[in-house]
Structure formats: structure tokens, C-alpha cells
Amino acid sequence: MELPQMPELMGLSLLLGLLALMATAAVARGWLRAEEETGSRPAGQKANGFPPDKSLKSKKQKQHQRIRKEKPQQHNFTHRLLAAALKSHSGNISCMDFSSNGKYLATCADDRTVRIWSTKDFLQREHRSLRANVELDHATLVRFSPDCRAFIVWLANGDTLRVFKMTKREDGGYTFTANPEDFPKKHKAPVVNIGIADTGKFIMTASSDTTILIWNLKGHVLSTINTNQMNNTYAAISPCSRFVASCGFTPDVKVWEVCFGKKGDFQEVMRAFELKGHSAAVHFFAFSNDSRRMASVSKDGTWKLWDTDVEYKKQQDPYLLRTGCFEEASTMLCRLALSPDAQVLALASGSSIHLYNTRRGEKEECFEQVHGECITDLSFDITGRLLASCGDRAVRLFHNTPGHRAVVEEMQGLLKRASNESTRQRLQQQLTQAQEALRSLGALKK
């Protein structure tokens, strides 16, 4: 057999090597191209070339969407009698309370905070507030202590009372410290209201069944009241601290006296009197500042003003002074507030407020769509010049023009009967002040 010549073998080897080199280079270029495509593919781009999954968005887009969801647009409201809007809460406000010295307003919301506002800033551009955090819960009700050095809240999840002490700092601010232990759980149904007697002798809590509890300040139950009203829609302590009242399914308001001995020791709770006259369930009631007047609103579509300055221990019943029509009460739950002098009645239904003159029973002002949610609380300040309401994330304050008009009417009547000059001068000064207030608000009737 004849062997091939050497030049032919070398040529074949070179050809095979060149082909192997070209194949290796092609494979390498493919790997590089694949790596470049993988590196340059946008976040969320699938490897098979399909468009990115819409559920996989960038972190920034998700954050922007979360911010929009967590911060809904604030409800806008304007009115010529709107004095101020307090806006610091990030959640809906459920309750508010003016301090007995008139210096502060406390508000609580589902943002786990209680805000303490300075009332002297209400008519200023800036509204200062101090924040107290409610740890691991949020408050649905808040009430100041009589000495304004503490406040109590009802905890939404804990279903109990918590006490916060207010300690003044050197810079003028306050530090809020919760008591180590909350009150024991006693109620079996949701609580509709709480209160502290202005004497500081007892605390009241009322639930939506038929139970009202009277506590001492240390968290011990002194007495249990069964209202026998099928359910309780509201209960409150009178400003004089003598009475506890409740309303509910029955067409009356029941009032009890909380009795203490001369040494301050608790004795008993006894039935005092009732407000009888409505023909359907009572939604709400309120006391005047001196507890001599009460107002109520009922599902029968009426509101009533009562004289409660009676000798109830001699079986004397309260006198009905005025009945007014409020048809909204027949179709929805309503709240009311009575001015400190009992001259003006404020009624809230849904997100609207109606102001009535209690002397004549006439509606004088109406504020519609005040809040983005239903009104949860309504209250006059201790001077009676401002009316506060809450329901969304803001507290709105209104000038009480019906109150100024009532003062004008009263002073004009008293001037006609004044017998000496000093009395006439005093009455004239009060009349002038009320007229000037109305004139500045553009509400003086000619």
C-alpha cells in the first residue's frame, strides 16, 4: 500500500484546524450575544421575549400608588361663617372634648393619636397641636379631666378605658404618659359614651345594651345602672355632676342622681326624673352649662327644650318649653349640641348642621356637606361663640351667629325694663358687643 505524500497530509490538518477554530468562534459569539441580551433586558422582561408582566412594576411606581391610596383627597368646604378648619389628623376623627378651662380641645382619630389643640389659635392662620400616641390601638372617645391635667380615652380594640397624664415641660409643651394599667373590661356591648364628673368624683361609661357603669378614678365599679330602654343610643353626665342621663329605644330620657356623702364617699344612684313627651325613640340629648335646661331630638321628627330646674324629690316633672320640627330625625340618626346659655340648638344629620333659635323655634343657619363623612361629634366651646364639628380628618369651627342674635334680642328686652343707669350701661355694652360681632360677620339684620 502506497502512503500519501507529506504535503497533502499537512494541508488536510490545516483545513481541519481552521474549521474547528471557526466553530469555536461562532459558539463564543453566541454566548456573548446571549449575555448582552440578558444584561440589557428591562426589569420584569421575560427571557422568552414576551412583554414584561404588568403585575411586576418598579418599586417607585408601587410607592406612588400606595401614597395615593393612603392619602385620600381632603374634603373641601367653604362658608362665610366658617371660622377655622383644624387639619393634623391622618385618620377620621371620632370624638372631641373642650377642656373645662376653655384653653384646649382634644380630638381622637383612627390614626392612633390624640391631638391637643390650643383654642387661642383658632382664629389665627396657624393651628398648633400636641400629639399623644395610643400604642397598639386607637381611641374612639376622649374626655378631659376636670383639672385639665389628664384625659381618658376609650380603646377601640382593647374595649376599656386608658388614662393619660399631661405633664408640662419647661418649653411650654406637654408630655403625655399612659397609666401602666388600663381599666378592667366590664362591658359586653360596644360603648356609646364616656364622661368624667366635673367634681372629679366618678367616671361614667355606657354601652349599647342597657348598661351604664359608675367608676371611681382608680378603676373600681361603684354602681351598675340598667336603663331598661332595650338599648342605649347615648348617655352623659350633667355639667353640675349630679346627674347621669340616657336615651335609647324608648320615647323618653331617663335621669339618675349619683349621690355622695359629705365626706365624698359614694352612697347610691337613685332615679331623679324623666323627660316625657316624644312619641318615638330618642336619638340624642344635651344639657345646658348650668344643667337647668335640656334638649332632645327624637325619631318622631321633633326636637324639644326642657326646663329641668325642678324639685324632682317632690315628684315635680320637668317643664316643656319649646317643640321644634326636624324631619331629618325621622329617617336617620341625629346628634345635637345645646349652647351653654341654651339659646341655640345645633342639630346634625348626615354631614349637615342646622342651627335653631330656642326662643322662637326657628331655623337660622344651615351648613350642608360640612364633612366628607357623617358627622361624629358636635359641640359648642365654653364661650358659646363657636360651634365645632368633626366627621372626616378635620375639625370645622363655625361662628355662632344665632347666639349673637339671641343676645341682641335679650338685651333689647332687658333695656326696656332696666330701672337704674348702671344696669342700663351694662346691658347697652353687651348689646353693642353682640351687634359689632354680627356686623363683622356680615350677619347683622337691618
Side-chain angles (χ1 to χ4, degrees):
M1 182 175 175
E2 192 173 305
L3 293 172
Q5 296 179 3
M6 283 299 293
E8 292 176 352
L9 286 172
M10 289 179 64
L12 183 61
S13 298
L14 283 171
L15 180 62
L16 290 173
L18 185 60
L19 288 171
L21 250 161
M22 289 173 66
T24 303
V27 172
R29 280 199 301 271
W31 286 345
L32 286 171
R33 191 180 297 114
E35 287 178 0
E36 286 173 0
E37 288 177 357
T38 303
S40 62
R41 185 181 298 132
Q45 175 76 39
K46 290 186 176 180
N48 59 10
F50 288 115
D53 189 346
K54 291 182 180 179
S55 65
L56 299 173
K57 295 185 178 180
S58 67
K59 289 184 179 180
K60 288 185 178 180
Q61 288 175 324
K62 287 183 178 179
Q63 288 173 354
H64 287 317
Q65 285 188 347
R66 194 177 297 119
I67 290 170
R68 289 194 204 101
K69 289 180 181 178
E70 290 176 355
K71 294 186 177 181
Q73 189 174 4
Q74 182 75 282
H75 177 73
N76 291 321
F77 173 82
T78 57
H79 195 279
R80 60 183 177 84
L81 296 181
L82 181 65
L86 312 181
K87 300 177 181 178
S88 287
H89 281 289
S90 60
N92 287 344
I93 302 169
S94 57
C95 184
M96 57 190 177
D97 187 46
F98 284 99
S99 62
S100 58
N101 61 11
K103 293 182 179 180
Y104 308 108
L105 172 68
T107 57
C108 64
D110 56 14
D111 59 6
R112 295 187 174 184
T113 69
V114 174
R115 293 272 178 178
I116 308 296
W117 308 81
S118 173
T119 57
K120 68 180 181 180
D121 296 336
F122 281 176
L123 301 182
Q124 307 298 323
R125 296 189 69 178
E126 298 293 330
H127 305 119
R128 294 178 295 170
S129 69
L130 301 172
R131 185 181 70 185
N133 295 321
V134 182
E135 298 295 336
L136 305 175
D137 211 325
H138 72 270
T140 57
L141 298 163
V142 60
R143 294 287 179 261
F144 272 111
S145 64
D147 61 7
C148 307
R149 296 179 181 177
F151 60 86
I152 62 172
V153 299
W154 185 261
L155 300 177
N157 300 321
D159 289 327
T160 187
L161 278 175
R162 179 172 294 173
V163 180
F164 284 82
K165 292 182 178 179
M166 301 169 57
T167 306
K168 198 163 188 177
R169 302 194 304 260
E170 293 182 0
D171 61 0
Y174 281 90
T175 299
F176 306 100
T177 307
N179 277 9
E181 294 185 6
D182 298 333
F183 276 35
K185 295 181 182 180
K186 295 291 183 179
H187 285 284
K188 297 179 181 179
V191 164
V192 295
N193 199 23
I194 62 176
I196 307 179
D198 279 354
T199 56
K201 291 181 178 180
F202 68 94
I203 291 172
M204 177 220 70
T205 59
S207 54
S208 62
D209 44 19
T210 59
T211 306
I212 296 177
L213 297 181
I214 306 298
W215 309 72
N216 67 12
L217 301 187
K218 295 182 180 179
H220 299 120
V221 176
L222 300 175
S223 181
T224 301
I225 303 171
N226 183 359
T227 64
N228 293 313
Q229 291 175 308
M230 297 291 286
N231 65 353
N232 298 328
T233 56
Y234 185 67
I237 302 174
S238 64
C240 67
S241 299
R242 289 176 61 188
F243 306 115
V244 168
S246 75
C247 64
F249 183 78
T250 59
D252 49 17
V253 177
K254 297 182 178 182
V255 183
W256 293 264
E257 182 180 6
V258 183
C259 304
F260 287 84
K262 293 182 178 180
K263 295 182 180 180
D265 54 316
F266 172 76
Q267 293 184 332
E268 62 176 336
V269 176
M270 58 182 294
R271 193 70 163 269
F273 56 86
E274 294 181 8
L275 305 182
K276 295 181 178 180
H278 288 293
S279 59
V282 177
H283 292 311
F284 215 86
F285 66 86
F287 290 91
S288 64
N289 195 45
D290 58 7
S291 303
R292 295 181 177 181
R293 298 286 186 272
M294 288 182 70
S296 57
V297 61
S298 166
K299 195 176 180 180
D300 62 13
T302 67
W303 60 264
K304 295 181 183 294
L305 181 70
W306 310 81
D307 179 353
T308 53
D309 188 18
V310 296
E311 295 185 61
Y312 57 89
K313 291 183 179 179
K314 296 181 179 180
Q315 311 304 315
Q316 188 176 8
D317 293 325
Y319 298 103
L320 178 61
L321 299 175
R322 180 75 58 189
T323 297
C325 182
F326 189 61
E327 294 182 359
E328 290 87 340
S330 61
T331 57
M332 64 176 70
L333 290 173
C334 298
R335 303 183 70 90
L336 68 78
L338 188 62
S339 63
D341 59 5
Q343 299 277 19
V344 181
L345 178 67
L347 289 162
S349 61
S351 60
S352 299
I353 301 172
H354 310 261
L355 297 183
Y356 287 81
N357 179 303
T358 57
R359 281 191 169 192
R360 300 186 305 275
E362 297 175 358
K363 185 193 294 189
E364 293 199 12
E365 300 288 352
C366 180
F367 312 123
E368 296 183 346
Q369 296 181 347
V370 176
H371 297 279
E373 305 286 342
C374 288
I375 292 171
T376 53
D377 208 352
L378 192 68
S379 178
F380 287 93
D381 74 333
I382 65 169
T383 67
R385 295 176 182 175
L386 295 173
L387 172 69
S389 69
C390 62
D392 46 26
R393 291 179 289 150
V395 173
R396 290 189 166 82
L397 300 157
F398 296 90
H399 293 288
N400 180 18
T401 52
H404 292 304
R405 293 192 195 106
V407 171
V408 169
E409 293 176 14
E410 185 179 13
M411 294 304 106
Q412 287 174 338
L414 292 173
L415 271 170
K416 293 178 181 178
R417 301 190 299 270
S419 57
N420 59 67
E421 187 60 28
S422 61
T423 302
R424 289 182 62 84
Q425 289 180 356
R426 178 175 54 82
L427 294 173
Q428 184 61 52
Q429 184 180 10
Q430 292 177 320
L431 173 61
T432 303
Q433 289 176 347
Q435 289 174 330
E436 286 298 323
L438 288 170
R439 187 176 289 109
S440 67
L441 296 170
L444 183 62
K445 293 182 178 180
K446 296 181 180 179

